């Protein structure tokens, strides 16, 4: 047996033994019934499942205007883009989408990527290879895509304690004064649901002449007067050099992007391999995303409903004695603290209560911090919440599956 095959076998055995082996759950999305999906049971029956862990936070992926835009684009322009924008040309949809994204963040320009992961990895790696002696200051809980981009460049990396302003300033003060510096962080952290103090981070970065890179993936569409994210909500977007976001969560579609000044965007467009050598987003996706952003920017009521639903769920879980991790965002983590129990709880919710709540285990969160990550949407009803709370009470107490 080749050593790699043996490594695969032993690695999988270890993952199973640790209770964190991942399986896909077959679910069929019901656009007109979201967040209710269906699944097929082993005996061939169709069963309704209420999904509590979708990142389609505003349910825009099933909005009629978004579906209509995608359908029209498919009929008139076909299914695929046909290549990169350099090879196959750029459509009016891509240009309009970038213009809309730049306006969303009040930046001069924006650039589309095939996913938020690619946007982070490609942008950071390209930036940090552009000059010698870069020093990058990365929040300890940054997403894997940011870490991958940073590791893909020869920069000196400083990991600062999560949201810890004193630690960030101490590390910046110790760096060479003349070295190019970049502070990279997120606005809403997707697993803990906490929020970065963007303004104070900008204060520190400016004192040490560092650029700022902000991942707003879990905030765009959801926060601010027009959905521009936490930076818009806090009126500090103009102080951020590069804002990165996604079209796949608050906007319910697919793709990623960055927004910045024209020179930065043009440089990345001209040099970033993850952009240059990747087929561009299909016209159906670009059209859907454009329709979604235009709707979301004007739909403050939808944002307000999302936050009311999140607050209501937190209140009901707390009143029922369900151990939740306190957050100031729309993300509602239920604390478990053990990989095997987390998987068992999730499976029982699915099998016995027709609820889908994904178990979050290592490496997504550290060992000992396993949890269920609940994400209520504007379409989750009070009845759905009552059923979820009752089911969690049953699973966590009746069968003595105690959480940490």
């Amino acid at each position: 047996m080749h050593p790699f095959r043996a490594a695969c076998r032993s690695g999988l055995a270890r993952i199973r033994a640790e209770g964190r082996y991942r399986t896909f759950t077959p679910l069929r999305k019901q656009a007109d019934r979201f967040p209710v999906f269906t699944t097929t049971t082993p005996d061939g029956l169709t069963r309704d499942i209420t999904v509590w862990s979708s990142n389609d936070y505003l349910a825009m992926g099933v909005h009629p205007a978004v579906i209509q835009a995608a359908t029209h684009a498919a009929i008139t322009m076909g299914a695929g883009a046909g290549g990169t924008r350099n090879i196959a040309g750029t459509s009016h949809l891509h240009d309009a989408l970038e213009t809309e994204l730049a306006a969303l963040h009040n930046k001069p320009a924006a650039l589309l990527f095939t996913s938020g992961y690619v946007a982070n990895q490609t942008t950071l790696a390209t930036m940090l290879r552009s000059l010698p002696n870069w020093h990058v200051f990365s929040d300890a809980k940054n997403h894997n895509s940011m870490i991958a981009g940073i590791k893909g460049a020869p920069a000196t990396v400083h990991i600062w304690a999560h949201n810890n302003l004193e630690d960030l300033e101490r590390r910046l003060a110790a760096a060479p004064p003349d070295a190019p510096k970049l502070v990279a962080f997120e606005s809403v952290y997707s697993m803990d649901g906490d929020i970065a103090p963007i303004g104070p981070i900008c204060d520190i970065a400016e004192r040490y002449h560092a650029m700022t890179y902000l991942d707003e993936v879990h905030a765009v569409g959801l926060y601010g007067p027009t959905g521009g994210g936490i930076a818009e909500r806090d009126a500090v977007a103009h102080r951020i050099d590069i804002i990165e976001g996604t079209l796949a969560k608050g906007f319910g579609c697919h793709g990623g992007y960055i927004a910045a000044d024209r020179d930065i965007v043009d440089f990345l467009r001209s040099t970033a391999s993850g952009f240059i050598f990747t087929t561009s987003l299909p016209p159906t996706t670009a059209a859907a995303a454009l329709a979604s952003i235009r709707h979301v920017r004007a739909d403050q009521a939808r944002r307000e409903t999302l936050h009311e639903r999140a607050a209501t769920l937190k209140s009901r879980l707390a009143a029922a004695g369900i151990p939740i991790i306190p957050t100031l965002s729309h993300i509602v983590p239920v604390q478990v603290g053990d990989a095997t129990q987390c998987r068992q709880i999730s499976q029982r919710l699915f099998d016995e209560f027709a609820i889908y709540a994904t178990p979050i285990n290592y490496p997504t969160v550290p060992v000992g911090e396993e949890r269920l990550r609940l994400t209520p949407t504007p379409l989750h009803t009070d009845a759905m919440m009552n059923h979820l709370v009752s089911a969690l009470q049953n699973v966590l107490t009746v069968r003595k599956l105690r959480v940490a």
Side-chain angles (χ1 to χ4, degrees):
M1 179 183 292
H2 191 280
F4 177 65
R5 295 183 186 278
C8 290
R9 185 170 295 180
S10 63
L12 288 169
R14 182 178 65 255
I15 290 169
R16 287 188 176 95
E18 293 171 355
R20 58 185 183 90
Y21 181 75
R22 302 182 181 203
T23 58
F24 295 138
T25 301
L27 292 171
R28 179 169 294 181
K29 192 171 186 178
Q30 303 282 295
D32 60 343
R33 302 178 66 207
F34 184 88
V36 176
F37 290 47
T38 61
T39 190
T40 302
T41 64
D43 54 3
L45 300 176
T46 297
R47 186 185 186 207
D48 286 348
I49 301 291
T50 302
V51 171
W52 278 98
S53 54
S54 172
N55 282 340
D56 189 357
Y57 296 133
L58 292 172
M60 288 304 297
V62 298
H63 194 283
V66 175
I67 296 172
Q68 183 179 8
T71 302
H72 179 73
I75 292 171
T76 59
M77 301 179 67
T84 69
R85 290 165 75 180
N86 289 312
I87 289 174
T90 186
S91 78
H92 68 286
L93 290 171
H94 293 91
D95 292 339
L97 182 51
E98 287 174 340
T99 298
E100 194 73 27
L101 289 165
L104 174 69
H105 296 291
N106 197 26
K107 297 292 184 186
L111 186 66
L112 288 168
F113 292 86
T114 50
S115 72
Y117 193 106
V118 173
N120 269 336
Q121 182 181 33
T122 298
T123 300
L124 286 165
T126 304
M127 280 187 70
L128 298 173
R129 287 195 298 260
S130 65
L131 292 170
N133 200 32
W134 269 104
H135 283 247
V136 57
F137 300 81
S138 178
D139 186 283
K141 291 194 175 182
N142 276 344
H143 190 263
N144 177 270
S145 57
M146 300 175 76
I147 295 168
I150 290 167
K151 285 185 175 180
T156 299
V157 182
H158 308 267
I159 309 298
W160 51 288
H162 177 56
N163 277 349
N164 188 313
L165 299 175
E166 292 77 13
D167 190 46
L168 172 60
E169 180 150 25
R170 179 180 63 80
R171 293 175 184 275
L172 277 163
D178 296 332
K181 303 176 187 67
L182 177 69
V183 178
F185 61 107
E186 301 181 38
S187 59
V188 176
Y189 288 84
S190 62
M191 291 299 118
D192 292 338
D194 55 343
I195 297 174
I198 300 176
I201 290 172
C202 289
D203 292 340
I204 295 170
E206 289 165 6
R207 280 201 290 275
Y208 296 93
H209 308 290
M211 296 185 71
T212 47
Y213 183 99
L214 175 63
D215 177 320
E216 286 263 39
V217 160
H218 292 274
V220 288
L222 315 181
Y223 298 87
T226 67
I230 299 296
E232 184 193 36
R233 185 198 71 177
D234 294 351
V236 292
H238 63 286
R239 302 179 66 188
I240 300 294
D241 292 294
I242 300 175
I243 294 176
E244 184 268 348
T246 185
L247 305 172
K249 294 179 172 61
F251 299 124
C253 298
H254 188 77
Y257 64 89
I258 56 102
D261 70 40
R262 292 192 184 280
D263 285 342
I264 290 174
V265 169
D266 201 20
F267 176 78
L268 291 166
R269 182 188 67 83
S270 302
T271 63
S273 60
F275 171 81
I276 294 171
F277 297 105
T278 303
T279 298
S280 60
L281 293 174
T284 50
T285 299
L290 181 59
S292 181
I293 295 167
R294 286 174 172 170
H295 180 94
V296 166
R297 290 185 71 188
D299 193 352
Q300 180 65 9
R302 202 174 190 90
R303 277 184 286 281
E304 291 173 355
T305 301
L306 167 70
H307 296 300
E308 179 276 322
R309 293 284 78 192
T312 299
L313 179 60
K314 292 175 188 178
S315 176
R316 293 189 181 190
L317 289 170
I322 306 298
I324 61 174
I325 299 171
T327 78
L328 296 176
S329 72
H330 59 285
I331 295 167
V332 186
V334 174
Q335 197 169 24
V336 177
D338 178 86
T340 299
Q341 285 195 358
C342 195
R343 179 173 49 79
Q344 290 174 347
I345 290 167
S346 175
Q347 192 63 51
R348 285 198 55 212
L349 288 172
F350 189 87
D351 292 341
E352 299 174 30
F353 299 95
I355 289 170
Y356 182 67
T358 310
I360 304 296
N361 298 326
Y362 178 85
T364 307
V365 295
V367 173
E369 296 186 18
E370 293 81 5
R371 79 276 310 263
L372 302 177
R373 178 178 176 272
L374 307 178
T375 54
T377 74
L379 302 186
H380 281 90
T381 66
D382 286 343
M384 291 174 180
M385 287 190 188
N386 292 338
H387 180 57
L388 172 66
V389 171
S390 175
L392 281 168
Q393 286 180 307
N394 183 293
V395 169
L396 296 177
T397 60
V398 172
R399 299 292 180 87
K400 308 304 181 185
L401 270 175
R402 297 294 183 181
V403 295

